[in-house]
Amino acid sequence: MTARLADLRERMLLLAAIDPEHQIFGAARHGYELGEPLDADGLHSLEAQFGALPEDYTALLRAFGTPCAGPYYGLEAPHVPEDPQHALQPDPWRAFPAETAWDARLDDGASVLDGTIQLADQGCGGRSLLVLRGPHAGEVWSDWTAEQGTMALEATTVFSWYAQWIDRALLDWIERQAPRIALDGAASANELEGVALAYEIVERTVTAAPQ
């Protein structure tokens, strides 16, 4: 396991420790559980279905398994998303067209979701998709075409997508728990670590913001 993956795993397990009642969005479904790590045979089977997969995605599956805890309601087993117009079957082997409109006019037989697999259900019809083919390969896009909405870049890599979820979850947790911690103090060493990490996230965000 790489240092980056080990750090993500430690932070996810910290979330599990400080959110035992699963109050953070999506936690009640994924329960901060890891899946069965992907082995060589499993990877071969996935690549037979979808073609070559981004290295950081396969590294995540080898370390965490799938389905497992992750953004929104959790990291799903990879599958082809349903086309918003329900008339076409998206083809993961084609290049992703990067059209943002749900009803974009494409070549006959092409889908706006070609070249993608679904990573996560965002709720209310939204999805996170991993691009497999074309100039945007390796990126994660937020897809609301099922609700006649648009598509937009969500993260440049799977690792950054997963890390952004952990950051959002820590900020969600500190927002909920700050009044109690301010009055009574942190209840555990894990909570102290969670407070410190949340502070780092806020400091990093402020520093990166345009002045």
Side-chain angles (χ1 to χ4, degrees):
M1 185 182 299
T2 66
R4 181 75 185 279
L5 276 171
D7 180 64
L8 291 176
R9 186 177 187 275
E10 287 178 7
R11 292 191 177 212
M12 192 276 289
L13 294 176
L14 175 65
L15 283 174
I18 62 179
D19 183 35
E21 296 181 359
H22 297 166
Q23 294 182 336
I24 294 172
F25 176 78
R29 182 178 298 182
H30 61 65
Y32 300 108
E33 297 289 337
L34 296 177
E36 184 69 25
L38 187 72
D39 60 15
D41 289 339
L43 176 59
H44 180 75
S45 177
L46 288 182
E47 290 184 333
Q49 287 181 268
F50 307 119
L53 301 169
E55 289 185 9
D56 61 343
Y57 178 58
T58 58
L60 189 71
L61 297 185
R62 286 180 179 275
F64 295 179
T66 181
C68 72
Y72 307 105
Y73 291 109
L75 182 66
E76 298 179 336
H79 61 282
V80 175
E82 185 175 290
D83 184 88
Q85 301 189 59
H86 307 291
L88 302 169
Q89 175 67 19
D91 185 349
W93 293 82
R94 289 185 176 184
F96 175 56
E99 293 286 351
T100 59
W102 72 276
D103 58 352
R105 294 184 178 277
L106 303 173
D107 295 336
D108 288 346
S111 164
V112 294
L113 304 183
D114 281 344
T116 70
I117 56 175
Q118 184 165 324
L119 295 179
D121 173 13
Q122 298 181 9
C124 300
R127 302 174 285 195
S128 291
L129 307 180
L130 174 61
V131 179
L132 304 181
R133 306 283 176 270
H136 297 276
E139 297 176 350
V140 178
W141 281 55
S142 180
D143 167 37
W144 287 88
T145 57
E147 299 298 316
Q148 299 186 5
T150 59
M151 301 180 69
L153 178 67
E154 188 174 356
T156 55
T157 68
V158 171
F159 279 179
S160 60
W161 176 71
Y162 202 94
Q164 287 168 14
W165 162 63
I166 293 175
D167 285 356
R168 290 195 305 269
L170 281 167
L171 293 177
D172 183 357
W173 172 78
I174 195 64
E175 183 178 3
R176 295 171 184 271
Q177 302 300 328
R180 173 185 60 79
I181 294 173
L183 289 174
D184 303 327
S188 65
N190 285 325
E191 286 200 347
L192 280 175
E193 184 178 357
V195 170
L197 287 174
Y199 178 82
E200 288 179 9
I201 294 165
V202 172
E203 186 176 42
R204 185 172 69 241
T205 303
V206 171
T207 301
Q211 300 299 317

